[in-house]
Amino acid sequence: MIRVYLLDDHEVVRRGLADLLQSGGDIEVIGEAGLAREAAARIPALRPDVMILDARLPDGSGIDVCRDVRAVDPTIKGLILTSYEDDEALFAAIMAGAAGYVLKQVRGTDLVEGVRRVAAGQSMLDPAVTQRVLDRIRSGVEQPQELKALTDQERRILEHIAEGLTNREIAAEMFLAEKTVKNYVSSLLAKLGLERRTQAAVLATRLLRKNP
């Protein structure tokens, strides 16, 4: 069974999500909350496989909950569910370690499958939200000067980092050894003057600000 925790400030939404997720027989909702502080306190103790977190809450953000919980237990996967296409929130979610960021308009069957994928260690980032970001990373025309120093291979790896993939997942996607990907990541971060891969997501956010 895949153990799931739900965070949404609307009880009707939580009930609907719980019914939807549990209808397949392989997902169990083990807890729920309507406030960020309550969820942040309870999730580490319950240790779900996946936490589905509303991005906007009366007392904070599901993205902050994702960051706080994963700082305590990085084995818990986060899936951000939101009503808004917000590029900055997408990258905040990536930096918080979320494995997925999907719009509430997603089909029920796709959400259930997404929970299964996230529980299995895969990434689920909504293509409708991320595509324009990746287009700007691929294009050399609108990039900051420092981004042009990257090789094509490094640029492709940066795209995958922006999608939230781990080194292992990037290696599988690009048919490379995981150690080779690690070396490429170190190289591109050095060229960009960055220390951590999450800062690469910040750079992509800056691209969005320059090109609304």
Side-chain angles (χ1 to χ4, degrees), residues 26-94:
D26 61 337
I27 298 175
E28 177 187 9
V29 175
I30 61 168
E32 63 179 65
L35 296 174
R37 62 177 177 272
E38 179 183 353
R42 295 183 61 194
I43 293 174
L46 291 173
R47 299 193 66 191
D49 300 299
V50 179
M51 47 185 175
I52 299 179
L53 310 169
D54 191 1
R56 301 188 182 188
L57 297 158
D59 65 334
S61 164
I63 295 172
D64 292 333
V65 173
C66 183
R67 180 184 300 108
D68 293 345
V69 169
R70 285 181 56 80
V72 175
D73 187 345
T75 67
I76 301 174
K77 310 294 193 306
L79 181 59
I80 307 299
L81 196 59
T82 178
S83 301
Y84 309 95
E85 287 195 30
D86 185 336
D87 297 319
E88 290 192 23
L90 165 64
F91 280 96
I94 292 172

Side-chain angles (χ1 to χ4, degrees), residues 53-211:
L53 310 169
D54 191 1
R56 301 188 182 188
L57 297 158
D59 65 334
S61 164
I63 295 172
D64 292 333
V65 173
C66 183
R67 180 184 300 108
D68 293 345
V69 169
R70 285 181 56 80
V72 175
D73 187 345
T75 67
I76 301 174
K77 310 294 193 306
L79 181 59
I80 307 299
L81 196 59
T82 178
S83 301
Y84 309 95
E85 287 195 30
D86 185 336
D87 297 319
E88 290 192 23
L90 165 64
F91 280 96
I94 292 172
M95 289 186 285
Y101 183 97
V102 294
L103 301 176
K104 286 185 177 179
Q105 295 91 319
V106 67
R107 291 172 52 190
T109 53
D110 291 339
L111 179 60
V112 172
E113 185 57 32
V115 169
R116 292 177 179 138
R117 285 173 53 192
V118 167
Q122 300 177 40
S123 174
M124 185 190 178
L125 294 170
D126 195 310
V129 180
T130 60
Q131 187 58 52
R132 59 184 173 275
V133 179
L134 301 182
D135 286 345
R136 288 186 170 89
I137 293 175
R138 292 187 185 104
S139 168
V141 177
E142 298 176 300
Q143 292 170 357
Q145 187 64 38
E146 62 268 29
L147 203 55
K148 297 177 183 178
L150 301 184
T151 66
D152 288 343
Q153 194 83 316
E154 289 167 345
R155 193 170 294 158
R156 282 192 288 271
I157 288 174
L158 179 60
E159 293 173 24
H160 290 313
I161 291 173
E163 291 173 322
L165 272 62
T166 64
N167 284 354
R168 179 173 297 180
E169 291 167 338
I170 294 171
E173 186 77 19
M174 298 181 67
F175 303 102
L176 297 171
E178 187 175 352
K179 184 177 180 180
T180 301
V181 172
K182 184 177 179 180
N183 291 338
Y184 273 122
V185 171
S186 297
S187 174
L188 74 86
L189 291 179
K191 288 181 179 180
L192 297 172
L194 305 175
E195 295 179 359
R196 297 180 302 277
R197 63 190 294 132
T198 52
Q199 292 174 310
V202 176
L203 177 61
T205 303
R206 197 178 87 196
L207 282 174
L208 284 171
R209 288 200 189 105
K210 291 179 68 174
N211 302 278

